[in-house]
Amino acid sequence: MSLESEIKKRRTFAIISHPDAGKTTLTEKLLLFGGAIHVAGAVKSNKIRKTATSDWMEIEKQRGISVATSVMGFEYRDYKINILDTPGHQDFAEDTFRTLTAVDSVIIVVDSAKGVETQTRKLMNVCRMRNTPIMVFVNKLDREGRDPFDLMDELESELGISVRPLSWPISKGETFKGVYNLYKENLQLYTPNKQIISQSVEIDVESPELDEKVGDKNAAQLREDMELIHGVYEDFDKELYLEGLLAPVFFGSALNNFGVKELLDCFVEIAPSPRPVQAIERTVVPNENNFSGFVFKIHANMDPNHRSCIAFVKICSGKFERNVNYKHIRHGKMMRFSSPTAFMAQKKETVDEAYAGDIIGLPDTGNFKIGDTLTGGEELHFKGLPSFSPEMFMYLENADPMKAKQLEKGVNQLMDEGVAQLFVNQYNNRKIIGTVGQLQFEVIQYRLLHEYNAQCRWEPISLYKACWIESDDMQELENFKKRKMQFMAKDKEGRDVFLADSNYVLQMAQNDFKSIKFHFTSEF
Ligand code: G4P
């Protein structure tokens, strides 16, 4: 098969949701359709990780198990599908943000009773930054949920994107009858069963057969709803979806295997194959002959006896081959990989080749950091792996002065892995660690001790946000840095960061220094 057709058939995406909306269940059902697993209940990773426990060791153990499920590849019809798993636990949200930089589209799962929840809103902001095409699956129709029109309005306003239903529910909860598929124009009747896949029936909405199948009242309601849908919503426009401006919406019940196949069928047909990726030097198109890719995730092995990492690389262009020399751009050296892994179903296996859109795992002993580029030789630096302002901050102190070197090394490596962010205060030279959740502080302390034989202590610091600053007016920038000397820090790339200790202080700074832009992400 030609490079172009290999790439064209790839669909690399992530499923995102607020915990409990049904991401794991949906993932599992998609894998069942792809024949990648044969029994329900096989996908467990998310399930455990989402538990709102502070027992991070337990969570890390599960993370260990889940290396193989980080990417789940399978074939469906003529397509090669790669689902990228995202951690359910919100303390690992930064991981999810980065994973979203490696996908070509996203499916959002929403609970029909709960609508759009906080975590979904946050993740959607990341998608919007990248114009990622979004599809929505409204789940749990077998339960009493909200009115579908209300849900559509909420999706539109909360996610800040236009929506277009491509299926529509007929009643809900106990009286749920099925969905009308507006994409294929047929009816799926609901049978509550986890094993059977519902059959679709070709029925015209106007035909009396509809009344027979779903009852007079439901049929009348569906006709009314259809009229409203066609009146309110423009016809589905695939181009707008691909530009990330319009989200098609499907309804169903993942647990009951209902509406999932319709979602998948439509998904493979309209979701994008790998998209061009922006490097600092130029735009890289997937079907270029030369290989290029970037590291978006590093997974450390928590077993102290096998202390290696896996660097996850998204292939942006061309074909990757085993045992071929590729250039590690940051180090400026050539590297060869004898055991790259691909992720098929829930197994990790060594591969000889992989194509743009695929994710490969490269065994690593500290050569990679997040954002690194690998190419066939060309100097390219992929953009688009921003750091986000952390939400929690602590001073990092050395608790064992004899082990300062170990601490330094450990902290640097953990930061390269993307466990948290390090800022160095320019005024007093103290190190500040920023995270999105309390768990990371425990993770860092534990790993420093067990992997680097170093001990750290946390000291509280009250900070509101880290802001990356820029301005065309260098004089004003200098004035600002002088005025805020005590709150200026450098991030690990040496960029200037203002550590605002409250929202009020930040607003004052924005008022007083009009020419300075304050960014909450490191890339703007
Ligand atoms: P998550 O990964 O997004 O966190 O959600 P997950 O799939 O684990 O689903 C959360 C709960 O919702 C699970 O129940 C799951 O069975 C249930 N669920 C998922 N889809 C549907 C659906 O279509 N209808 C209904 N009624 N429930 C659904 P649980 O009790 O937490 O776990 P379990 O004991 O069932 O595994």
Side-chain angles (χ1 to χ4, degrees), residues 15-29 41 43-48 50-51 85-86 88 109 111 137-143 190 194 252-258 260:
I15 304 179
I16 57 178
S17 72
H18 191 83
D20 261 346
K23 179 160 71 83
T24 313
T25 314
L26 180 65
T27 306
E28 185 173 280
K29 295 295 146 83
V43 183
K44 281 281 175 235
S45 60
N46 270 316
K47 182 98 238 163
I48 313 159
K50 79 182 177 202
T51 35
D85 188 22
T86 54
V109 184
D111 183 326
F137 183 71
V138 179
N139 191 26
K140 307 197 185 180
L141 261 287
D142 58 315
R143 292 224 189 124
Y190 174 66
K194 291 170 195 157
S253 164
L255 186 66
N256 292 294
N257 222 339
F258 189 77
V260 178

Side-chain angles (χ1 to χ4, degrees), residues 114-130:
K114 295 188 177 145
V116 178
E117 298 172 86
T118 41
Q119 193 78 349
T120 316
R121 222 172 281 131
K122 276 192 200 164
L123 295 173
M124 182 62 200
N125 287 338
V126 181
C127 295
R128 212 175 303 106
M129 281 170 64
R130 309 174 49 81

Side-chain angles (χ1 to χ4, degrees), residues 208-234:
E209 227 187 318
L210 180 70
D211 301 66
E212 266 168 49
K213 298 273 185 207
V214 301
D216 295 352
K217 202 167 141 249
N218 287 322
Q221 183 68 50
L222 179 66
R223 287 184 191 116
E224 202 179 295
D225 288 354
M226 286 297 116
E227 213 166 290
L228 202 54
I229 289 169
H230 290 303
V232 173
Y233 299 102
E234 300 275 328

